[in-house]
Amino acid sequence: MSALLSARGLTRRFGGIAAVDGVDLDLAPGLITALIGPNGAGKTTLFNLITGHLAPDAGTVTLADVAIGRRTPHAIARLGIARSFQDLRLFARMSVRDNVLCATEPASWFWQPGGGTSRESRAARAEHALAATGLTDLSRADAADLAYAERKFLSLARIIATGARIWLLDEPASGLDPASRARFSALLREKLGEGVTICLIEHNLDIVIELADRIVFLDQGRKLAEGDPETILNDPALAAIYFGERA
Ligand SMILES: Nc1ncnc2c1ncn2[C@@H]1O[C@H](COP(=O)(O)OP(=O)(O)O)[C@@H](O)[C@H]1O
Ligand SMILES: [Mg+2]
């Protein structure tokens, strides 16, 4: 099966550190690929290189075999690639509903073509995203007044509202309580069923086991391994690196 999104040889240095060092990544359509690895492995930087938030020192990114490198985050988002941020980046003093509506605003960098720009179409997508994430009853609250798990779901609602077909999610489930985690997993599975392709940065290996079709393991900017979850998670050498017991 050919990949929907492919990175080849992506590299980005910060001073003397190669944060991402010659990484290849393939996202197969309709699957969840989990990107795992210790803190500082280069996971977020890899997302930033794909989404145009950082320019690579080397390497290429293709979407359905078309090169998409060297574009602004705006332009890349418009190709159908939406992302979330580890620090969420919600508009704290705007309502939950307005946070979601922003993602349907043609001037915002979240916006995706195809969803329609009429007030009615935008409102309908926002209501759908709020309902999917269980936030309908909180839609008038300020984002800043939400509980932690609700803020994580709001970040996801924003992505759902865009209608993007590729989602890059940076630790979307970190710190969620078990009930919220189950709701999160169910929601991602539902969206996969609707044809979305997902790359998930996730520390919680229970979630990885539950959701991932494939795992890509990064350490110190390099891809150490990739494969099916069972193989990767049962590899004692990788476990030692993951849990910080490096020799
Ligand atoms: N903007 C930046 N400036 C300097 N160093 C950075 C920057 N972003 C990331 N790094 C460094 O690159 C490495 C990888 O970071 P990051 O991609 O955030 O890792 P991860 O998301 O896997 O925890 C780390 O050593 C980090 O300190
Ligand atoms: Mg990170």
Side-chain angles (χ1 to χ4, degrees):
M1 182 163 39
S2 90
L4 180 56
L5 186 92
S6 289
R8 287 291 171 272
L10 275 183
T11 298
R12 170 73 193 211
R13 293 179 201 88
F14 295 111
I17 294 175
V20 171
D21 194 359
V23 170
D24 297 344
L25 177 72
D26 288 306
L27 301 187
L31 298 186
I32 297 190
T33 303
L35 197 53
I36 69 171
N39 272 329
K43 305 179 296 293
T44 297
T45 302
L46 183 55
F47 272 12
N48 286 334
L49 295 172
I50 293 169
T51 58
H53 288 84
L54 280 173
D57 294 316
T60 56
V61 180
T62 57
L63 176 65
D65 296 325
V66 176
I68 61 163
R70 310 277 163 194
R71 297 184 197 211
T72 63
H74 236 83
I76 290 174
R78 274 160 170 58
L79 299 171
I81 302 172
R83 73 172 291 182
S84 68
F85 294 91
Q86 237 171 307
D87 58 2
L88 301 186
R89 304 194 189 180
L90 303 172
F91 299 111
R93 286 296 156 207
M94 278 168 45
S95 72
V96 165
R97 184 166 185 276
D98 283 346
N99 266 276
V100 177
L101 268 179
C102 275
T104 69
E105 159 62 55
S108 89
W109 69 261
F110 300 96
W111 183 79
Q112 310 282 322
T117 55
S118 72
R119 198 187 174 84
E120 293 72 25
S121 146
R122 292 180 53 203
R125 278 186 291 149
E127 298 319 326
H128 163 77
L130 289 167
T133 50
L135 291 171
T136 304
D137 290 346
L138 290 165
S139 61
R140 296 162 85 93
D142 274 6
D145 295 333
L146 295 182
Y148 179 79
E150 293 159 354
R151 289 205 299 274
K152 304 282 276 192
F153 277 104
L154 177 52
S155 165
L156 205 54
R158 223 161 42 168
I159 290 180
I160 292 171
T162 65
R165 61 193 166 131
I166 299 177
W167 296 4
L168 308 181
L169 305 178
D170 200 344
E171 302 196 19
S174 68
L176 289 183
D177 56 278
S180 303
R181 237 168 52 199
R183 220 151 56 75
F184 167 81
S185 295
L187 180 54
L188 285 206
R189 272 210 218 85
E190 183 187 323
K191 290 295 156 188
L192 276 189
E194 295 172 13
V196 166
T197 297
I198 297 174
C199 186
L200 176 73
I201 296 175
E202 183 51 60
H203 279 291
N204 186 312
L205 295 182
D206 292 335
I207 294 180
V208 172
I209 291 165
E210 197 175 306
L211 282 175
D213 297 297
R214 285 187 69 73
I215 292 182
V216 170
F217 190 108
L218 288 188
D219 182 42
Q220 300 184 345
R222 289 175 182 256
K223 185 168 74 180
L224 287 196
E226 71 179 307
D228 62 277
E230 193 158 353
T231 310
I232 301 293
L233 297 176
N234 287 326
D235 184 323
L238 295 176
I241 290 169
Y242 192 81
F243 295 108
E245 295 148 18
R246 192 188 303 276

